[in-house]
Each structure stands twice: as structure tokens, then as C-alpha cells.
Amino acid sequence: MPELRKKYPFDVIEPKWQQHWLANKTFAAREDTGKQKLYVLDMFPYPSGAGLHVGHPEGYTATDIYCRFKRMRGFNVLHPMGWDAFGLPAEQYAIDTGTHPAITTCKNIDTFRRQIQSLGFSYDWDREVDTTDPEYFKWTQWIFLQLYKKGLAYEAEIPVWWCDGCKAVLANEEVNADGTCDRKGHKEVYRRPLRQWILRITKYAERLLADLDQVNWPESIKEQQRNWIGRSEGAEVDFKTEDGATLRVFTTRPDTLFGATYMVLAPEHPLVEKFKNPAVEAYRTAAAKKSELERTQLEKEKTGVFTGAYAINPVNNEKIPIWVADYVMMGYGTGAIMAVPAHDTRDFEFATKFGLEIRPVVEGGDLPFIGEGTAINSGLITGLPTPEAKKKITAWLEAQKLGKATVNYKLRDWLFSRQRYWGEPIPIVHCAKCGTVPVPENELPLCLPEMKDYSPSGNAEPPLAKATDWVNCKCPQCGGPGKRETNTMPQWAGSCWYYLRYIDPQNAGAFVAKAKEKYWMSVDLYVGGAEHAVLHLLYSRFWHKVLFDLGHVSTPEPFMRLINQGMILGEDSRKMSKSWGNVINPDDVVREFGADAFRMYEMFMGPLEATKPWNTQGLEGLYRFLGRVWRLFCDEDGKLLVDDSTPTAALMKVLHQTIKKVTDDTEVLAFNTAIAQMMIFVNEVTGQETRSRALLEPFVLLLAPYAPHLAEELWERLGHKPSLAYMPWPQYLEALLKESTVQIVVQVNGKVRDRLDVPVDIPKEDLEKLALTNEKVKESVAGKQIKKVIIVPGKLVNIAAG
RNA sequence: GCCCGGGUGGCGAAACGGCAGACGCAUCGGACUUAAAAUCCGAAGGGGUGUUAAAACCCCGUGCGGGUUCAAAUCCCGCCCCGGGCACCA
């Protein structure tokens, strides 16, 4: 494809202003109590080897326009950028090539920084953070220790995916649906219990749920978080096995206790051990091999085995059989249920398949009836409607010490450790005498050891276990021999609190200075992809609340307002992917059309939140628009055309309409319609002879947040000192927007019959008379009776006739 | 299965009770040019009546079917399709 002739010298202008902004620290933020603060945050990227994707600049441009706009409106804006740089690809590359992940990471960050800077975003680059920088992760480790000291971090044996072929732990997403290993296709993948670090996020479940009401987030994201937390109210009830052991269950329907005809234990339930029975053993082993997917989606048909044992129902002392089935999950409730097939779809299916008794105890519909109704055949609660029945039976259980009202959450504690090299070391020492001992805070950061070989050790130990010089250490408490924790933190850790570090990135004595934190928090606007709807946002909120409880931060919630930018699809309306060959490279776009055209096109494509396909011809349209703007100011030799003529009233009106529309729309992030209005303005002025300064100068300021390089250049050529970044935003004059006449639509029965040009302040009566005497109206209502005349001042007259 | 979004010209979209399709792309016509590109000016939802041509006028149109209203893309009810998330949570 031949190089297009440039429509304006963006290739000169853009680097010029990027350097100007960097050299002059134009966008450096300082605490300034005289101004209203505004903290606008982008979700920082993982600097992958593939470089920037066109999806990244979408959100970044949106926040950049908003920040530039707000600066001109007098706000003190904090707008930083950084790198979420720990992650698997660099580690895998290290395993394959022996290159230290830090080298790969550094190289990728340089690429990302160059690409991001080539788009002219107004970040305060002095605040750049990198999660892999020891000066950064020192504080990630410090926060972990605060969690640990507060009893929110603990160790437990929990099952993780283990691949015998790879001799390594696999992440959930590395296990295929068919139970094979996604990395090498090995078949010997199963869950095996391993010691893990876990964070007690469930302790914050209630507040994480309740405080969602405080934040201005998309309702869908809040809903996803609510569902993830999954609060449900019910009761725990103690059944007894025949040999006297307690078998505790959780139920949301204690009112159906009299309908329990059998019990089910999850295969992993500890009590299952007691039933030495080959069928049970076989079932258990098989269940351990099934992937989560098989256990849930693929396995429509329920399976299970009878243990041979019985439990006693505490409400009626009835003996009911105990089964093991994998439709009961160990991770929820107590891992055991009382099955009430008459009133639970799953139990009903199971009971039907295995011929178990189905006993109705709630009246109200066909079985399985899961709704509310009236209790029947239920002893002391017979005859009560469901809500009362629940209350009464729960009170009775409590009085008998057989159970109690309980709230349960789907949310599980956060599995925090990874059997990986490229992550923050968990700052804990294991000592035979003292147990787990935190690394003293003054010894942080605890850095990763240099290694020759980054591959997993093969005996379920993380790669760090091979760095014996590093692992063996003194116990900080007793001075005896100790061993360092060899698990590392997950990628989420660094991104849990980066928004706080931006506030005070160089601070060596604290993760953030109190006064600065108080000034800048909370984040006023947070923009990023919807893929982080649950985990990143939930984990951040959790850490933030812990820091809040410890008095380290001043707000209960980190992100007051959240917006998800929509996905950008390929030109073929499919997800951009190498395999489709439809990936657009930002570098190519910038080289050919310039950053300003790129930015404006991405904003013009449609509403920020919408998913929309890329269209290179659409991009060219915006490029053409910027060329038109350029020619409004300069002739072919770049000579300024602007004069000091007085603009016509009509053009002044367009200008002020444009100021109003661009102001209002930018404020609510409706960038596409703001750009459309600027196009209308340019179309109007292009058709005129004069190039009035009074018209064009305010326009440059309106354009500045959108096409900042071009605007700065024009501003300078207009004879101003750079930069315009803090020039006051133009104000529109209401008086200039007023029309003297207005076009009124005349409808008959809702159909437009004519249009009238009338004075804006025409009295209603006159308007009605005009409408009724109108020739076309008379035609339309001929032979009909006029029933009603509706007059909407300044808009229309509608005559209902029939 | 459940919970969110969303269906408007050839395409991206705008309008969010009051003239449907602003703005842009693609298309077509004109000007400029030896010619093209670029640029500028103009046309354009579909169908019909009309006329030398135009003007003008009429009808139909916002996924489908109902409803509310003087007036519905917009509000209500029921369905269909597309995208995203969750998924045996007791």
C-alpha cells in the first residue's frame, strides 16, 4: 500500500508536543488544597510481549480526554500509569530460554511505555509504578504481613490440580474440560492436597456486599459481585449418625426438615473416611479425577453411592440413609445436606433415580415444589406459611441446641499462593520451634533469588525450593534454623493496591503518606475492562477494607465510580486474534494517521461502554476531519489564515452551540456526540470566507482534550505561549443560543402535516389559531371532528381529530 | 437453566415520550484536473402518485405480537434473536 500523502504534519507535531509535555512535566500532579482534586485511574496493563492492543487506548483515551477537560475546568487532576508486570508468560519464557523474567519484563515495559507515550496521554510519568520493582513489592509484602498479623492469612492443605506429566501444579485454567493438562496434553491430572496460603476474604463478605450500595458502578458489575459473594440465609442443623457422630448440614429451608428422606455427603467430606466400603472408595477416587466442568456442566445425570450408614433426623428421630454424591460440594455450607426431594429439584432428580422416598411437607404445587407454601405433616410447624415455619423451627432447634440460624456465602477464602517463581515472595519463615514467623518489616523487600533454572522442581515444590541458599535462613524469632516460604503471591496481589502507591510512589518510609492519601482518595473515576468485574475489583476492595480497619486509609471503598469500556472487535466483527488475522496494531495506525486521529476515531466509534467493530475507513474519516481543521487555520504552506474579522451572528451561534454540546457531552463521557458537534462546527466554518480568531480560538480549546497535539500546535501558531493544558475552558453564552424564531411541527393525529416558523415567544392561543387555520391541517381534518389540541411550546401542535 | 446488556438505513451510530436516521463511513452526481488522487459542492431509509424534468404530495418503516398515550425507537406486557457473566451453592 502506497504511503498516503499527509493531510497535515502530524508526524512532526505529535512527537514535538509529546516531548514538550514530558520535558516540562506539564501533567505532574501536586497536592493543592486550593483546588478541587480529581483522581482518574486506568486499569494498568500487563505488559505482554505482544505489545499494546487497540483495546487499551480506548479506555486510556476516554480518561485522558476527561482529565484534560477537567484540568481546563480548574480541577487538580491525578492521572497515573504503571505496570502489572508479574505474570506467567515471562516465567514460561524463562523456563524455555533461561532468560531472567525481569529482563523480559523490562523490555516489554519499555515497549508499552513507548507505545502509550506515542498516543499523547497526559499521565504524570513521575508516578509510574511497576509491581515487580522491589521498592514496590516491598509494600505488597508489607500489606501481606498486616493481613497475616490480623489473622487474615493462614495455611491449609487444600486440593490443587497436579499434573504427573509436568510434575507441577496447574492453575484452574490450565486444566482442560476433558481433564487433560492444557500445557502438554498429559492425562495424569488430578487434585491433590497441598499446603497453601489462603486469605480470609470471607470474613469481609458481609461488608463487601453491603458497601456495594455506596459506589457508583454499573449495575451489572455490582450484580456480578453480589452473585459471587452469594449470601444466603438459613440454618445449620445437627444430625447424628448411628454411632453418635455429629453430621452438620446447612439448609435454607429448615421448614422442610420433616421432608428429609436421606442425607448426602460430598465425596471429600471427612466423615466419608469412616465408611470403609469399596463402593464408596471407588466413587471417591473417581470423583477426585473429575474436573469441575465435568462435575457441573457435562454430568447432567446424577451419580452417588449408599454408604450403608444411617443418620437420625433430630426433628422426628427417623432413621434416614446416608449417601455420597458429587452433586454436593465440599466448599459450600458444611459439605453435607439433608435431602428433601419433594422440595428441591436436585434432590428430586436424585431420589427419582435411586428410588428414594419423596415426602411432601409444603403445600402449594406440583413436585418438586420449591416455592413457598403451607407446611404439612411437619409436627410443630404444620399449618404455618413458609416464612413463619422457618422462624419457628429455627427457634426450636436453637432451644434444643440442635442447630442455629446461619448465613452462608458462596464466596470462598482466597487461595493466595502460587507454585511459581515470578511473583512476590511471601515473607514468611518456617521454623521448627516457632512455626510460621513473619519476616521483620525492616528486612523488606524480600527479593527473589537469582536462579539458573526456573522450571518446577517436580516434587510439588515451587521453583524457589531449589534455591537452597535462599531458602535456608535464620528464624527471625529464635535465631534457629529456618526455611523461607517458597510459594509466591498471585498476580492479583500487586494490582490490589497500586492506586494507593500512585499517590506517593517514592515514599521509602510508608506505602503512602497519610496526608496525601487523605487528599487524593477515593478514586473518582476508574475505567477498565469488564473482565475484571469480579476478581480484581473484589480483591482490591477486600485489601482496602483491611487497610481501612487498620487505619492506613481513610475511605471504606477505593473506587467511587467505575466504567467498563466496551470491546473493540476486528473489521470482521470477530474478536481480534492472531488466529483470525484481524489484529490492528496501534503502532501502524499512529504511523499512518497519527495519534490524534487514532484517539478521535476510537471515541467516535460509538458509546464508550459498547462493543464495536474496527473500521479503517472510519478511522480515515476522522483523519480527514483533522485535515479539515488544519486547513481552517493554515494554507498549504502552513501559513496562518486566521484574521481578526467579526464573525457573523449565525457562526457565533454555531460556536456557542458547540461549546455547550462539547461541554455537556464531555462531562458525561459521551465523546462520540461531542465529536459530531465539532464536525458540524467545522463544516459550517469551512463554507465561509472568514477565518475569525474569535471563532477559531475557542474551538481549539474545545478540541484540545480530543486531539491534544494538533490543538497545542494550533494554539502556538495562533501566537500563544504553550501550553494550553491549563487554559480556562470556553464558556457559552445562553443569550447567543436563543433563537428568535422556531420551527413548530403541526401534526394531525400524530402525523406531521406542516411546519411553521413562528416567534419563540408566540402565545399558545395564537399558535393554536395558526395551526387550525392552516391549509394542510384543514385538508386533513376535513369531515372530522376536532377533539383535542395539544400544544408543546417551542416544539409542536398536535390536533386529535376523528 | 438463572442474571445482566443489546437488536434503528448498505455499515458505525444519533434521538431515550414530541419532525426517526444528526455526525461519520461506504455509494452516486457535480466542480477542479490532460487524467487520477486529494480537495470542495451536492444527493441519498423503502415504496408509490406525479411530471419533459423538477417541485409537490401520499403510504410504509426502529427484531416480532399486543397495550398505554393526542403522540412510542423511547413506557408497560408477552415472545424471538445476538453478546457477556454465573452455573448442581443446598
Side-chain angles (χ1 to χ4, degrees):
Chain A
M1 192 173 151
E3 184 87 348
L4 283 168
R5 216 181 98 203
K6 303 215 158 35
K7 297 189 198 305
Y8 73 99
F10 66 82
D11 53 327
V12 179
I13 294 174
E14 292 181 353
K16 170 183 164 184
W17 289 102
Q18 284 159 17
Q19 280 153 29
H20 177 94
W21 297 325
L22 275 178
N24 292 280
K25 295 193 185 296
T26 307
F27 304 111
R30 273 166 305 162
E31 291 70 40
D32 177 351
T33 45
K35 277 186 179 176
Q36 198 178 339
K37 73 92 185 178
L38 188 78
Y39 187 176
V40 179
L41 183 66
D42 291 300
M43 287 186 188
F44 65 165
Y46 169 69
S48 74
L52 207 66
H53 180 273
V54 291
H56 289 117
E58 191 192 8
Y60 301 165
T61 303
T63 52
D64 191 62
I65 290 169
Y66 190 63
C67 287
R68 288 176 179 271
F69 169 68
K70 286 297 205 176
R71 284 189 199 100
M72 294 171 82
R73 303 271 282 174
F75 284 79
N76 189 29
V77 175
L78 175 60
H79 189 43
M81 180 45 74
W83 320 107
D84 189 14
F86 278 121
L88 242 43
E91 177 159 351
Q92 192 55 48
Y93 188 71
I95 293 170
D96 295 343
T97 67
T99 314
H100 195 287
I103 293 167
T104 315
T105 302
C106 182
K107 204 178 106 222
N108 291 349
I109 287 177
D110 286 343
T111 302
F112 262 69
R113 189 192 298 104
R114 176 189 61 72
Q115 290 186 302
I116 286 177
Q117 287 182 346
S118 79
L119 289 164
F121 298 130
S122 61
Y123 294 119
D124 178 352
W125 286 103
D126 294 342
R127 292 172 186 267
E128 184 178 341
V129 302
D130 163 8
T131 55
T132 65
D133 177 354
E135 286 311 303
Y136 180 91
F137 72 64
K138 166 181 173 177
W139 297 106
T140 310
Q141 291 173 328
W142 179 84
I143 295 171
F144 174 84
L145 290 180
Q146 309 314 304
L147 287 151
Y148 175 81
K149 288 171 188 170
K150 209 171 179 270
L152 295 170
Y154 63 95
E155 289 175 289
E157 292 277 330
I158 72 152
V160 292
W161 288 109
W162 173 260
C163 174
D164 261 348
C166 298
K167 300 262 177 251
V169 172
L170 302 183
N172 270 330
E173 57 272 20
E174 291 172 316
V175 183
N176 293 324
D178 62 359
T180 60
C181 144
D182 189 47
R183 291 164 36 155
K184 301 266 158 76
H186 295 123
K187 290 198 176 67
E188 310 79 9
V189 177
Y190 54 93
R191 260 177 295 217
R192 102 181 228 194
L194 269 184
R195 184 188 56 85
Q196 305 285 334
W197 280 95
I198 297 169
L199 299 187
R200 221 180 284 280
I201 190 172
T202 50
K203 209 177 164 194
Y204 281 74
E206 196 61 52
R207 279 163 66 194
L208 288 168
L209 184 68
D211 289 355
L212 283 173
D213 294 338
Q214 294 182 18
V215 294
N216 174 11
W217 288 12
E219 205 42 51
S220 67
I221 302 276
K222 289 205 214 181
E223 205 49 36
Q224 280 183 59
Q225 294 223 345
R226 286 191 193 107
N227 291 341
W228 190 264
I229 294 166
R231 182 184 198 274
S232 60
E233 283 179 21
E236 280 181 358
V237 185
D238 287 341
F239 285 62
K240 289 270 189 268
T241 59
E242 289 168 295
D243 56 8
T246 298
L247 179 48
R248 178 169 292 179
V249 302
F250 172 74
T251 176
T252 55
R253 294 295 298 270
D255 62 304
T256 61
L257 257 169
F258 289 88
T261 54
Y262 63 102
M263 313 279 297
V264 185
L265 303 184
E268 302 86 359
H269 195 284
L271 223 56
V272 175
E273 296 277 357
K274 288 186 139 184
F275 308 122
K276 292 280 179 229
N277 172 327
V280 172
E281 279 308 309
Y283 187 76
R284 237 189 143 169
T285 318
K289 279 197 165 165
K290 282 193 205 173
S291 73
E292 205 69 35
L293 208 72
E294 281 178 293
R295 245 178 102 158
T296 57
Q297 295 178 2
L298 307 175
E299 206 83 0
K300 292 278 177 249
E301 188 83 348
K302 291 197 167 29
T303 60
V305 287
F306 176 46
T307 61
Y310 290 84
I312 313 292
N313 187 337
V315 295
N316 55 15
N317 294 316
E318 222 173 273
K319 250 176 71 172
I320 55 176
I322 302 173
W323 286 65
V324 176
D326 64 7
Y327 81 90
V328 172
M329 307 286 147
M330 193 57 220
Y332 184 78
T334 60
I337 62 159
M338 62 168 199
V340 186
H343 305 294
D344 181 283
T345 335
R346 298 149 297 176
D347 297 345
F348 183 84
E349 264 176 54
F350 192 82
T352 308
K353 180 169 175 187
F354 291 100
L356 294 155
E357 189 194 344
I358 298 169
R359 187 193 301 171
V361 291
V362 182
E363 216 169 38
D366 297 338
L367 299 187
F369 174 66
I370 54 168
E372 301 201 335
T374 308
I376 52 170
N377 302 322
S378 293
L380 72 160
I381 56 169
T382 300
L384 291 177
T386 302
E388 273 93 290
K390 279 184 182 173
K391 255 183 234 161
K392 186 161 182 189
I393 193 73
T394 307
W396 182 85
L397 287 166
E398 279 178 14
Q400 305 292 312
K401 301 214 179 329
L402 290 169
K404 62 174 196 292
T406 315
V407 174
N408 238 302
Y409 301 92
K410 271 200 275 186
L411 181 69
R412 321 240 173 121
D413 274 343
W414 176 8
L415 171 55
F416 190 69
S417 44
R418 298 290 181 272
Q419 292 70 46
R420 300 283 173 190
Y421 174 79
W422 192 227
E424 302 88 343
I426 293 176
I428 292 285
V429 172
H430 298 272
C431 168
K433 231 194 284 173
C434 313
T436 55
V437 180
V439 171
E441 289 178 12
N442 61 17
E443 286 178 23
L444 299 180
L446 172 60
C447 291
L448 288 163
E450 297 295 321
M451 298 187 69
K452 286 195 192 77
D453 173 15
Y454 303 94
S455 53
S457 67
N459 54 355
E461 289 278 345
L464 282 179
K466 291 191 290 193
T468 44
D469 288 352
W470 182 84
V471 170
N472 293 313
C473 63
K474 270 194 211 153
C475 168
Q477 201 162 293
C478 68
K483 281 189 186 300
R484 292 196 188 281
E485 173 61 55
T486 53
N487 282 306
T488 52
M489 299 190 198
Q491 200 180 355
W492 306 111
S495 61
C496 260
W497 70 283
Y498 73 112
Y499 58 93
L500 290 166
R501 191 59 179 173
Y502 282 141
I503 289 172
D504 195 8
Q506 321 298 346
N507 195 329
F511 75 105
V512 60
K514 274 204 158 128
K516 291 184 180 181
E517 185 278 331
K518 211 165 175 196
Y519 178 74
W520 289 112
M521 285 300 283
S522 302
V523 174
D524 297 283
L525 176 65
Y526 193 21
V527 176
E531 65 273 20
H532 295 116
V534 179
L535 296 183
H536 160 62
L537 289 168
L538 197 69
Y539 293 155
S540 290
R541 294 179 62 221
F542 165 47
W543 277 33
H544 195 85
K545 285 185 186 306
V546 174
L547 292 170
F548 177 73
D549 289 350
L550 292 168
H552 296 302
V553 297
S554 59
T555 64
E557 282 290 328
F559 315 121
M560 287 321 289
R561 183 175 176 207
L562 174 76
I563 298 207
N564 295 123
Q565 86 269 18
M567 213 190 335
I568 294 182
L569 305 173
E571 298 211 59
D572 52 4
S573 292
R574 292 188 292 195
K575 234 181 208 160
M576 276 195 200
S577 119
K578 265 191 203 148
S579 55
W580 297 126
N582 60 356
V583 177
I584 303 289
N585 180 351
D587 284 343
D588 297 342
V589 177
V590 170
R591 187 172 356 93
E592 229 178 302
F593 302 98
D596 284 336
F598 186 19
R599 293 166 53 113
M600 282 197 95
Y601 172 60
E602 289 217 346
M603 295 302 100
F604 189 66
M605 290 169 84
L608 181 58
E609 287 102 323
T611 300
K612 51 239 154 182
W614 182 267
N615 179 341
T616 297
Q617 285 175 326
L619 165 69
E620 283 172 34
L622 267 292
Y623 177 50
R624 259 201 296 270
F625 167 70
L626 293 179
R628 279 161 75 87
V629 171
W630 177 258
R631 289 195 302 275
L632 224 45
F633 289 81
C634 305
D635 67 13
E636 273 176 40
D637 307 318
K639 212 181 107 231
L640 196 70
L641 297 172
V642 175
D643 56 49
D644 289 317
S645 59
T646 308
T648 63
L651 284 177
M652 280 307 275
K653 191 156 93 189
V654 177
L655 171 68
H656 282 257
Q657 281 167 343
T658 303
I659 296 174
K660 180 169 164 51
K661 181 83 176 145
V662 173
T663 306
D664 294 350
D665 288 358
T666 307
E667 185 64 54
V668 298
L669 314 179
F671 305 123
N672 55 334
T673 48
I675 292 170
Q677 182 62 41
M678 289 192 258
M679 288 171 168
I680 291 172
F681 175 85
V682 170
N683 290 346
E684 289 292 329
V685 180
T686 300
Q688 305 295 316
E689 284 294 305
T690 58
R691 294 286 179 267
S692 309
R693 181 178 285 270
L695 220 46
L696 294 179
E697 234 169 42
F699 175 73
V700 171
L701 296 175
L702 297 183
L703 182 69
Y706 291 81
H709 310 88
L710 175 58
E712 289 275 23
E713 182 66 23
L714 293 174
W715 190 249
E716 189 181 51
R717 284 173 184 241
L718 283 166
H720 298 287
K721 240 183 87 190
S723 142
L724 54 59
Y726 295 92
M727 287 305 294
W729 186 255
Q731 302 286 315
Y732 62 89
L733 295 174
E734 213 50 80
L736 284 175
L737 297 176
K738 280 222 178 88
E739 309 268 356
S740 56
T741 63
V742 65
Q743 196 177 64
I744 297 284
V745 171
V746 183
Q747 300 179 330
V748 174
N749 291 333
K751 283 185 178 145
V752 181
R753 287 293 110 119
D754 206 358
R755 300 178 171 87
L756 303 173
D757 285 311
V758 298
V760 253
D761 49 1
I762 186 171
K764 267 189 158 187
E765 302 75 46
D766 295 8
L767 192 55
E768 180 167 349
K769 207 183 290 167
L770 268 178
L772 289 173
T773 55
N774 182 278
E775 279 306 315
K776 291 187 178 142
V777 171
K778 281 202 233 162
E779 251 171 68
S780 304
V781 298
K784 290 176 187 165
Q785 202 190 339
I786 293 172
K787 291 181 186 155
K788 200 171 170 185
V789 179
I790 291 98
I791 297 170
V792 183
K795 288 212 165 137
L796 58 70
V797 178
N798 189 11
I799 297 157

